[in-house]
């Protein structure tokens, strides 16, 4: 249960030598806010807005959206809140946002930002609702787009966000092409947020929903770590918001790879905070380099832990 004292903002997360690594929460809506605050999240790194759109016959109105966004924003005055615009399609099909043709492979179809090419009004309404909800609450609102593959898509989204009065829009990096050409995308967007769940799915060509392929989704896989390093090397603020950030040892490794914020399921925040507090940036970087030199996930983890005493 939440109490007044539990809601006192936690001290900012830092490495042992003092580098700030904001620890943020992944949430699906207002009902997750208490868990985020109770676990000391410093803000929201991924607000999945699908919840508002599911189980309905049509898009939620601007007013309906404003009310829900406001409820979340009010809980984080002065704190970062990163809202991902609707990520429909593939595993989250919506009856009122159909792709233009039949899709034998929906995961490779019109999903995420691609659907907004067909339904631009849905995107502009959502951006307007977000801007309006932020007016009388005061989060440090940032919006980002899912499934961006190219610099052109990043530029298109940034322009629409700016028209809605939202500066500093970002894009998710969850398509390998976007990670490989992160330096191109960096010129068109204010920040990256790496979604390791989909980045892994597309890097390994392995459906994230298939239990039989779960071994390919090891977050310690050096191929995934390489893509993350490449993304961070583009030099703009780069968060990680996929499930990988929830492993305390990986929180250190991701920091060593250059991630500037980490967003995770709320209950993982205290563990990540303790792991970072116990290790320096140099140790995180050594762990990241050692993990990347390995050839397999188990070896990567073992090699990283040599540099992260106290984490097993
Ligand atoms: C991801 O793909 O890693 C991600 C954070 O988004 P989602 O899991 O909602 O697709
Ligand atoms: Mg995703």
């Amino acid at each position: 249960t939440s109490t007044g004292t539990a809601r006192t903002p936690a001290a900012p997360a830092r490495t042992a030598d003092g580098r700030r690594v904001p620890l943020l929460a992944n949430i699906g809506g207002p009902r997750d806010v208490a868990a985020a605050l109770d676990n000391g999240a410093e803000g929201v790194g991924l607000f999945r807005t699908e919840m508002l759109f599911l189980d309905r016959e049509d898009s939620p109105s601007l007013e309906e959206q404003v009310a829900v966004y406001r409820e979340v924003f009010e809980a984080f005055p002065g704190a970062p809140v990163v809202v991902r615009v609707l990520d429909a399609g593939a595993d989250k099909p919506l009856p009122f946002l159909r792709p233009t043709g039949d899709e034998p492979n929906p995961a490779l179809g019109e999903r995420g930002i691609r659907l907004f090419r067909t339904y631009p009004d849905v995107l502009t309404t959502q951006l307007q609702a977000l801007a309006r909800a932020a007016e009388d609450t005061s989060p440090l609102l940032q919006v980002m787009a899912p499934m961006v593959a190219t610099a052109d898509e990043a530029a298109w989204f940034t322009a629409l966000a700016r028209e809605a009065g939202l500066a500093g829009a970002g894009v998710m990096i969850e398509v390998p092409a976007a990670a490989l050409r992160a330096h191109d995308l960096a010129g068109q967007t204010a920040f990256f947020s790496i979604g390791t769940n989909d980045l892994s799915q597309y890097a390994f060509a392995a459906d994230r929903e298939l239990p039989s392929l779960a071994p390919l989704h090891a977050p310690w896989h050096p191929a995934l770590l390489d893509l993350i390093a490449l993304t961070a090397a583009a030099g703009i603020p780069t968060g990680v918001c996929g499930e990988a950030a929830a492993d305390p040892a990986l929180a250190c490794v991701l920091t060593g790879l250059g991630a500037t914020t980490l967003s995770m399921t709320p209950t993982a925040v205290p563990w990540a905070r303790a792991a970072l507090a116990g290790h320096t940036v140099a140790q995180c970087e050594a762990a990241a380099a050692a993990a990347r030199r390995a050839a397999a996930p188990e070896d990567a983890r073992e090699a990283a832990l040599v540099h992260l005493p106290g984490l097993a």
Side-chain angles (χ1 to χ4, degrees):
T1 63
S2 48
T3 67
T5 46
R7 282 159 189 280
T8 306
R14 292 179 193 278
T15 59
D17 53 334
R19 178 178 305 172
R20 291 268 294 110
V21 184
L23 296 181
L24 310 170
N26 293 349
I27 68 168
R31 62 165 182 237
D32 298 332
V33 163
L37 293 171
D38 291 347
N39 285 285
E42 297 168 58
V44 173
L46 170 64
F47 176 3
R48 292 178 165 107
T49 56
E50 290 78 59
M51 185 206 78
L52 272 84
F53 292 78
L54 293 171
D55 302 319
R56 310 176 45 111
E57 309 285 291
D58 53 5
S59 272
S61 68
L62 184 123
E63 290 73 24
E64 280 175 272
Q65 293 189 54
V66 170
V68 175
Y69 302 147
R70 206 174 256 155
E71 229 184 300
V72 170
F73 295 172
E74 276 167 352
F76 297 97
V81 177
V82 183
V83 181
R84 175 175 73 189
V85 297
L86 177 63
D87 185 15
D91 51 314
K92 303 153 195 141
L94 296 179
F96 49 92
L97 295 180
R98 292 187 195 286
T100 43
D102 283 344
E103 295 196 337
N105 290 308
L108 303 180
E110 288 175 34
R111 55 162 302 199
I113 193 171
R114 300 168 183 181
L115 259 182
F116 293 132
R117 294 288 192 182
T118 312
Y119 301 97
D121 294 354
V122 175
L123 176 57
T124 50
T125 301
Q126 187 174 23
L127 292 171
Q128 283 162 9
L130 288 163
R132 190 169 304 175
E135 276 167 17
D136 51 358
T137 56
S138 46
L140 302 176
L141 171 62
Q142 295 183 297
V143 294
M144 65 180 180
M147 288 297 296
V148 168
T150 67
D152 278 356
E153 288 173 344
W156 181 69
F157 179 72
T158 300
L160 285 180
R162 193 173 295 135
E163 273 170 41
L166 298 166
V171 301
M172 288 192 71
I173 300 292
E174 37 191 0
V175 176
L180 290 166
R181 300 296 297 192
H183 56 285
D184 290 335
L185 276 75
Q188 306 297 337
T189 191
F191 68 94
F192 293 142
S193 182
I194 301 174
T196 54
N197 311 331
D198 276 311
L199 188 57
S200 172
Q201 156 161 276
Y202 295 115
F204 291 94
D207 190 330
R208 61 190 264 189
E209 308 282 320
L210 283 184
S212 63
L213 299 181
L216 285 172
H217 291 293
W220 283 95
H221 204 296
L224 189 63
L225 302 181
D226 280 357
L227 288 168
I228 294 167
L230 204 49
T231 304
I236 65 172
T238 299
V240 176
C241 68
E243 301 313 319
D247 173 339
L250 259 179
C252 294
V253 165
L254 294 168
T255 300
L257 292 173
T260 52
T261 63
L262 301 174
S263 189
M264 60 199 73
T265 190
T267 52
V269 168
W271 301 97
R273 177 184 300 277
L276 289 169
H279 301 93
T280 62
V281 171
Q283 284 176 311
C284 294
E285 287 174 351
R292 290 181 71 195
R293 281 193 297 272
E298 311 74 49
D299 301 340
R301 185 164 195 279
E302 207 169 301
L305 289 177
V306 170
H307 302 276
L308 301 171
L311 292 176

